[in-house]
Amino acid sequence: MSQDRIVLIATLIVAVTGVLWGVYWLPVRAMVARGLPGAWGTVLATSVACLALSPFVLWRWRDVLRAGPVALGSIALGGAAFTLYSIGLVYGRVAIIILLYFLTPVWSTLIGRYVMGWHTPALRVVAIGLGILGLLVMLSAGGEAPLPRGAGEWMALIAGVMWALGTTGIRARSTLGPGPATCVFAAGATVTGLALAPFFDPWPAGLSLWGDAGLIGLGLVTGIVWWGLSLALLMWATLRLDPARVGILMQTEVLVGALSAALLAGEHLHPLEIAGGALVVAAGLLEVWPVRRRARAL
């Protein structure tokens, strides 16, 4: 297969992944509607993903052992971040949860600069300023203090920080392939979900998963399609694309999430929230722009 064709396939995978995760809130809330409250739906989906991906770990167990605790911990931390994001979609407005999570470039740049000692291009400093300004504008809509409101928004904000920490560790230490890495990712997500779920809602008395084929189907589809297949393909694709292209294509998640929530859930944003969200998206684009400029220079 030619390099151009590989790049095209990888580009399509990233774009579709962004769209897919933009509507991820639909199966999450559907599981809640079928009687699986709070974080339990996320636990069901991630457990399915763990089981489905476990053969990759058994097949490449030597690679997993060689990966080392920092790499494995970083991948698992990424899974934990996705769990917080997933639970946040249950307790908050979809567009705001996605935008708060997409502040990740701000935290990644700060961690890279002050923890890892990496060089910070000037445009990434501007990205930090835009992202923080967007956060303040978005959260101050309605004249309230610029702080997250409710558990969902706090979890999305924390998830973004955790994802930034996890991806920094993955970038610095991980050499694990997509299959086993996605399984470790799902395992970290499952453990986090199991730890948090009882604090939000107890397991519903009398609920039997085996007695609800629809709920089992939702868990299987969500776990295999979103947590398994899409993430494994995304990890494969990101190794073959310029980071700038990946960052830009993944912005489709913000647009699809906001539009789908407005059309299907009646969730509409305040003008200040839209303005703040636009600044957050601009920060994400600027965060990858220096990488693209360097790539062209080479």
Side-chain angles (χ1 to χ4, degrees), residues 27-275:
V28 168
R29 292 190 177 181
M31 285 187 279
V32 174
R34 294 195 71 98
L36 202 56
W40 292 110
T42 299
V43 172
L44 174 60
T46 57
S47 299
V48 167
C50 276
L51 291 174
L53 293 163
S54 58
F56 288 101
V57 173
L58 296 175
W59 179 37
R60 305 302 295 267
W61 64 270
R62 290 185 179 86
D63 293 345
V64 175
L65 291 178
R66 282 196 295 265
V70 174
L72 295 177
S74 298
I75 296 169
L77 184 62
F82 265 46
T83 285
L84 291 184
Y85 171 68
S86 180
I87 300 171
L89 290 170
V90 175
Y91 294 101
R93 289 180 296 159
V94 172
I96 298 299
I97 297 302
I98 294 175
L99 286 167
L100 286 172
Y101 181 77
F102 263 78
L103 279 163
T104 296
V106 173
W107 318 131
S108 296
T109 302
L110 290 173
I111 292 167
R113 174 68 181 87
Y114 294 106
V115 177
M116 304 300 292
W118 294 338
H119 172 65
T120 306
L123 280 181
R124 288 194 174 175
V125 176
V126 176
I128 292 174
L130 279 180
I132 293 175
L133 178 61
L135 173 66
L136 296 176
V137 170
M138 186 168 54
L139 295 180
S140 62
E144 300 181 26
L147 294 171
R149 291 182 286 277
E153 293 186 9
W154 277 109
M155 293 180 79
L157 190 64
I158 295 169
V161 177
M162 291 172 62
W163 177 245
L165 287 168
T167 52
T168 300
I170 292 169
R171 175 183 170 188
R173 294 293 183 87
S174 181
T175 57
L176 204 56
T182 307
C183 187
V184 173
F185 188 95
T190 302
V191 171
T192 304
L194 286 171
L196 292 176
F199 292 98
F200 288 95
D201 290 281
W203 181 267
L207 176 65
S208 173
L209 288 178
W210 305 116
D212 190 336
L215 187 55
I216 293 175
L218 276 171
L220 288 172
V221 170
T222 308
I224 293 172
V225 174
W226 271 272
W227 287 89
L229 183 62
S230 75
L231 290 179
L233 288 174
L234 182 63
M235 290 185 185
W236 176 88
T238 53
L239 294 175
R240 290 157 176 83
L241 292 177
D242 182 85
R245 180 176 296 190
V246 175
I248 292 168
L249 291 170
M250 286 303 294
Q251 297 291 335
T252 56
E253 182 178 344
V254 179
L255 179 62
V256 171
L259 288 176
S260 62
L263 293 173
L264 302 176
E267 296 184 4
H268 300 287
L269 296 179
H270 187 282
L272 279 179
E273 291 174 330
I274 295 174

Side-chain angles (χ1 to χ4, degrees), residues 17-28:
T17 299
V19 172
L20 194 62
W21 280 89
V23 295
Y24 171 71
W25 64 275
L26 288 170
V28 168

